[in-house]
Amino acid sequence: QRLSWLEAFTTRSLGWMIADELSANHELAAFALEDVGEIGAHVIAEGMPFMPDVMPALQPRANAVYLVPSPAFQRNHYAKREWAQRLLATTSDPIGVFERWMARDASNACFVRARAVALGFAVLEVDGQMSLEKTVSWCEHQLGLTH
């Protein structure tokens, strides 16, 4: 059964929302990996389709770091996004829907962090305390791009 985003966030359990998100990203991964494979050069890719479990498909040339938002950072920045506010304004319970959305995304972040660590990838929790320059430097160092 196809649900609207609002139905998913108001009628389904948190466990269902997490499983559905992970399943959708697993399906998208095949397309994303195909696109990356066709490029054949250095690529910086971002997004949930590049979950830690799909990265071995790009071996031996793939390396990855994972930047995972802290729950407070994610909550703060999503609350500032105009498109998110417009979406929430269409609901009868914008605060409740936002809370469920953030709970789902915090659970996804925990999953990504745990899988990345288990597979030996470097993980940085983004909480807004590290400057952009230092974050880039950390990524470069982890990926062996510095001299």
Side-chain angles (χ1 to χ4, degrees), residues 50-59 61-68 112-124 138 142-143:
F50 297 101
M51 300 285 274
D53 292 303
V54 304
M55 294 311 291
L58 291 174
Q59 292 297 353
R61 61 187 181 87
N63 195 359
V65 296
Y66 285 85
L67 307 179
V68 180
V112 168
R113 181 184 304 106
R115 291 303 302 148
V117 168
L119 293 168
F121 294 114
V123 176
L124 177 66
W138 181 88
Q142 296 299 319
L143 294 170

Side-chain angles (χ1 to χ4, degrees), residues 62-84:
N63 195 359
V65 296
Y66 285 85
L67 307 179
V68 180
S70 71
F73 182 87
Q74 184 151 0
R75 174 182 294 279
N76 181 39
H77 285 274
Y78 261 80
K80 293 177 184 176
R81 292 178 174 163
E82 288 182 28
W83 66 266

